[in-house]
Amino acid sequence: MEHSEHNQTSGMKSVNQADILRDFQVSFFAMSRLVSLPWTYLEKDLESHKSSDLISEILKQTCLHSLCRKFPPSAKYRKLFLSEIIRRQEAAGCDPLDELYDALAEVVGAEDTTECYKSYLLPSGDAVSLLENVALISDGTTGLVTWEAALYLAEWALDHQQAFTGRTVLELGSGVGLTGITICRSCSPERFVFSDCHPRVLQKLRNNVQLNGLTEQTSPAVSVEEMDWTIATEEQIKQIGASIVIAADVVYDPDVVGSLVKLLSKIMRCSSPGVRPEVLICSTIRNQETYSGFKQQLEKAGVSHEVMTGAVRHMFPYNRVSAIEMIKLYR
């Protein structure tokens, strides 16, 4: 009986440590705020074992992982991450770990850059790796970074893969591509059309799509198209022939809401014969007035909506304090 209980306890510790290592890995590659990492578990482990074994395992899953060699987070972030580990190791009085200091030496002299890789780990163990801008706003656009609603919509898609399987998907305002690439890698659409209008965003988007091994010749077939909401034609929309249209974090500027509503109305009105596309809009509600104005303009255009309820599994690390809402449009 005692032996059985011991095995169960050991199993719990093993599962807990595996979960902690996963938390460190997921947060590290997404460059989450350092304060959000599970440091308390590491501190307790260091205090109770006076060993750097867990730190060694953390390093294997982060800075020494093959994904870090291929798509490294920013040098500044890696430096802060490693310095925090060293601080806690020294506070616990553990023996120095050579590989930890070697990893720090690699990034100490590295220059800061305006771009860095972020990788978002999928439940399958695969990763979506993106080149993003460090600044939230650059070149006059917010489209060069991943925003919360894009991550939420990607999580929703992973929970509702059948909604995209075998279908042609059009994404409006694709940004750096997180949601679309996740759907392409996990939900088996027949075709996926990424779209945006800002030249720098389109170039970054094309690079990220290619970075993740997606082309017109792959399955699904993918394309990146320029789509200006103010001048998009019915012919362009019919040619795409989307059976599902998605967008994330596109309702943030009252100056563009009008053109967005006109485009959505046009999409629902002029779809291919026999194809009534499903339209899903996911928004982080930063300004209630802007968001309410968007809904009011939809109603005036004869487009109704329903709020999609139900929790989604938390698969990506991001700030969940902000209100995020997903709506489905219909006539």
Side-chain angles (χ1 to χ4, degrees), residues 172-225:
L172 306 175
S174 297
V176 291
L178 182 276
T179 304
I181 294 170
T182 298
I183 291 171
C184 289
R185 298 281 280 274
S186 303
C187 304
S188 304
E190 181 179 349
R191 180 170 169 242
F192 196 101
V193 179
F194 297 84
S195 73
D196 216 294
C197 68
H198 193 283
R200 281 292 309 279
V201 175
L202 281 167
Q203 187 56 54
K204 184 70 65 68
L205 179 57
R206 290 190 180 97
N207 291 343
N208 282 333
V209 167
Q210 189 173 22
L211 195 70
N212 286 273
L214 300 171
T215 69
E216 291 185 1
Q217 285 71 47
T218 58
S219 180
V222 306
S223 60
V224 177
E225 297 193 11

Side-chain angles (χ1 to χ4, degrees), residues 96-152:
L97 190 65
D98 289 344
E99 61 202 89
L100 179 56
Y101 289 90
D102 290 344
L104 180 62
E106 274 190 36
V107 296
V108 163
E111 290 184 20
D112 288 338
T113 59
T114 58
E115 298 178 321
C116 64
Y117 289 106
K118 290 186 181 180
S119 295
Y120 303 89
L121 303 189
L122 302 175
S124 62
D126 202 359
V128 174
S129 295
L130 306 171
L131 187 61
E132 301 188 14
N133 272 42
V134 173
L136 296 180
I137 300 175
S138 52
D139 291 316
T141 178
T142 58
L144 297 170
V145 297
T146 296
W147 294 90
E148 289 94 338
L151 289 156
Y152 180 95

Side-chain angles (χ1 to χ4, degrees), residues 243-293:
S243 52
I244 182 166
V245 178
I246 61 171
D249 261 333
V250 293
V251 185
Y252 59 88
D253 184 349
D255 292 337
V256 300
V257 163
S259 56
L260 172 61
V261 170
K262 287 179 182 176
L263 175 63
L264 292 171
S265 182
K266 192 179 295 184
I267 287 172
M268 301 183 78
R269 184 180 66 247
C270 71
S271 52
S272 300
V275 179
R276 177 170 290 182
E278 188 175 349
V279 181
L280 302 173
I281 310 293
C282 189
S283 305
T284 305
I285 306 173
R286 297 183 180 86
N287 185 306
Q288 186 62 57
E289 186 178 350
T290 299
Y291 190 62
S292 296

